[in-house]
Amino acid sequence: FDGDGKRNIWGSTADTLASIANYLNQKGWHAGRDWGDEADIPSNVSCALEGPDSMQPISQWAANGVRRISGKPFPGAELAKPGALLFPAGRSGPVFVATSNFYTIKTYNNSDLYALFVGNLADRIAYGSGPFKAAWKPVTGLKRGSVMKVQEKLIAQGHDVGGADGLAGFKTRRSIGLWQERNGLSATCFPSRELVARF
């Protein structure tokens, strides 16, 4: 990519960037789309709707009151394209509308937080934007063993938590939200000491 005819990802910034771009392209990156947007997702839109398998046109999310936190409308070219809700800390932190490109970033590292911060860094470089606007609030303090017990209880009740691994991935988060809603509780979509006590 630096034009010298040699691949050198250790000594050439241009070659390193080209290698990253090639990887993302091979994994399905859609040129012209961003990774997503930090959003304001109203309480009437359930956090249990999270996940890439629950994508719908961004216009539909917007019709249900989902807005970009910047106050700017979703780009017109994005409205007919699919987006997914993302609640990495349940209702206790920033929330997002993620595009398919967000999940392409996750093919490299399957962490929501990793992909979010890669996306945020890219936004800072490309657009001069700053940090996420919503605060990351303390959410749990639970150890993986406690989260795993919650997952096992949810599995026993027929929920798909993505496996009892002690990690609060999107399937675990939305399963918690569904359980909370079915039991007359306000959906937080994140494991907590209160939730462990209820099980």
Side-chain angles (χ1 to χ4, degrees):
F1 197 68
D2 61 12
D4 69 358
K6 299 175 183 177
R7 298 174 184 171
N8 179 8
I9 63 170
W10 303 112
S12 167
T13 299
D15 285 3
T16 301
L17 293 172
S19 177
I20 295 166
N22 182 54
Y23 174 87
L24 292 173
N25 183 59
Q26 288 182 5
K27 296 298 181 180
W29 185 269
H30 292 99
R33 293 199 83 187
D34 287 333
W35 63 270
D37 288 287
E38 187 177 2
D40 178 16
I41 301 177
S43 58
N44 64 298
V45 177
S46 173
C47 53
L49 294 173
E50 178 179 7
D53 51 357
S54 297
M55 280 192 174
Q56 56 181 320
I58 290 174
S59 61
Q60 186 60 52
W61 293 125
N64 289 325
V66 175
R67 302 284 182 262
R68 293 166 90 189
I69 204 163
S70 67
K72 298 177 182 176
F74 288 105
E78 286 290 307
L79 291 174
K81 295 177 181 176
L85 301 185
L86 178 66
F87 292 82
R91 288 280 185 183
S92 296
V95 292
F96 305 88
V97 174
T99 73
S100 57
N101 282 345
F102 174 81
Y103 297 98
T104 299
I105 296 170
K106 287 188 65 176
T107 65
Y108 178 76
N109 181 326
N110 196 34
S111 163
D112 288 334
L113 295 182
Y114 173 86
L116 281 170
F117 286 101
V118 166
N120 182 251
L121 175 61
D123 288 348
R124 290 179 187 217
I125 293 169
Y127 310 122
S129 58
F132 298 131
K133 295 190 182 304
W136 295 89
K137 302 171 189 171
V139 286
T140 175
L142 293 179
K143 295 187 176 179
R144 283 182 70 169
S146 296
V147 176
M148 193 177 302
K149 288 177 184 175
V150 169
Q151 291 170 323
E152 289 168 348
K153 295 285 189 181
L154 289 167
I155 290 169
Q157 295 180 28
H159 291 274
D160 176 11
V161 300
D165 58 4
L167 301 173
F170 82 89
K171 289 185 176 181
T172 294
R173 296 192 299 262
R174 76 177 176 198
S175 293
I176 289 170
L178 287 169
W179 183 89
Q180 289 170 321
E181 290 173 351
R182 290 172 186 168
N183 286 276
L185 302 171
S186 177
T188 64
C189 294
F190 210 81
S192 65
R193 295 187 186 282
E194 179 187 5
L195 187 67
V196 171
R198 287 182 179 273
F199 280 125

